[in-house]
Amino acid sequence: MNLIFLGPPGAGKGTMASRLAQDKGIPHISTGDIFRENINNGTDLGKKVKSILDSGDLVPDELTVELVKDRLNQGDVSNGFILDGFPRTIPQAEALEDFASIDAVILFTLPDEEIVKRLSGRRVHKPSGRTYHILFSPPKVPGKDDVTGEELIQRGDDSEESIRNRLDVYRKQTQPLVDFYRKKNLLKEVDAGPAPDEVYEKLTANLP
Ligand code: AP5
């Protein structure tokens, strides 16, 4: 099962993708996570994209497409994969058609005011990527990762200014993909508003 998770920043794509990936035993491929890992490790790619991620703009298409193409060449995708945060532009979606076939595109929908609440309350364990929310999914000890007890941080792009830009970028550059995939009969919509268990139930009911 080859899936794309589409939707605005903070809708819960990453939360649902990591749960589904674990249940189905398929890889969760998040372009945002790959870029952040490179930034944390100080690679050339990380140095190139750091300021782009902090501002909430998009990394250039050619670079992102090559990265995903390489990732989909690895053996662990043979039973399926979840692409989280890719494609994000029409040129990316067109490029993807040359090297992967997609079974369904899940669109997670959430109003802007909920998005702002989710992103401003998000806390992350940097080494593992485990994600919490101070109100909706709090760690057992405030500010600490449940597994290692290490400090949780706020993502650099979860500042108010960057959130506003990410929403704007989503509307202008990513939302056109909704029609692109609807016309191909691949789009399934999931209301991302309810609590995580309910969203997950709706997600699994919508899978092909
Ligand atoms: P990326 O990491 O993909 O960020 P995003 O799309 O903005 O998505 P987020 O990770 O912010 O949100 P999410 O929907 O995964 O929500 P989450 O599950 O964490 O991309 C970052 C950057 O990388 C981009 O801005 C760009 O610069 C670059 N990039 C990435 N891909 C690219 C591409 N293809 N092309 C070019 N550039 C690219 O949940 C959010 C919070 O809500 C958490 O705290 C969570 O605990 C909580 N939560 C989740 N579900 C629920 C629920 N049901 N109820 C209550 N709380 C919930």
Side-chain angles (χ1 to χ4, degrees):
M1 188 168 40
N2 299 346
L3 301 173
I4 290 172
F5 280 12
L6 187 65
K13 303 178 298 294
T15 302
M16 291 301 137
S18 75
R19 189 163 163 181
L20 185 68
Q22 208 163 3
D23 283 357
K24 300 276 180 200
I26 56 176
H28 166 201
I29 301 171
S30 156
T31 36
D33 285 350
I34 297 173
F35 290 135
R36 279 185 291 276
E37 204 179 300
N38 276 275
I39 293 171
N40 293 344
N41 294 334
T43 67
D44 286 347
L45 172 65
K47 285 177 194 147
K48 219 181 274 178
V49 301
K50 183 176 184 326
S51 61
I52 302 179
L53 263 82
D54 282 345
S55 68
D57 287 336
L58 294 184
V59 173
D61 286 337
E62 311 84 76
L63 214 166
T64 311
V65 167
E66 277 313 303
L67 192 91
V68 174
K69 197 172 175 180
D70 281 354
R71 181 62 187 85
L72 292 183
N73 266 329
Q74 292 177 23
D76 63 345
V77 302
S78 54
N79 290 328
F81 55 79
I82 304 170
L83 285 177
D84 164 15
F86 181 93
R88 245 176 160 99
T89 63
I90 295 284
Q92 289 182 14
E94 287 170 347
L96 178 67
E97 295 192 320
D98 291 338
F99 58 88
S101 70
I102 297 300
D103 300 309
V105 177
I106 313 293
L107 171 66
F108 293 90
T109 58
L110 196 67
D112 282 6
E113 60 275 20
E114 287 304 314
I115 289 172
V116 173
K117 275 189 216 158
R118 286 192 186 179
L119 292 180
S120 52
R122 174 163 59 185
R123 298 292 181 274
V124 181
H125 178 240
K126 209 169 168 181
S128 68
R130 271 185 289 282
T131 299
Y132 301 86
H133 190 283
I134 51 172
L135 300 176
F136 309 136
S137 175
K140 290 180 190 131
V141 177
K144 308 277 183 202
D145 178 48
D146 286 354
V147 179
T148 64
E150 290 169 331
E151 286 296 314
L152 300 178
I153 57 130
Q154 203 165 7
R155 257 170 57 174
D157 60 350
D158 280 347
S159 67
E160 205 188 313
E161 195 187 347
S162 179
I163 293 172
R164 232 179 294 122
N165 188 37
R166 284 158 69 197
L167 283 170
D168 204 38
V169 167
Y170 176 75
R171 268 185 219 104
K172 289 186 182 137
Q173 301 195 56
T174 307
Q175 215 154 21
L177 292 179
V178 173
D179 268 350
F180 180 91
Y181 284 119
R182 188 174 279 133
K183 280 183 192 143
K184 292 180 186 291
N185 253 332
L186 288 173
L187 200 77
K188 317 257 181 207
E189 251 181 82
V190 171
D191 174 6
D197 284 348
E198 199 179 317
V199 177
Y200 190 71
E201 213 172 287
K202 285 189 202 158
L203 162 66
T204 49
N206 266 289
L207 294 177

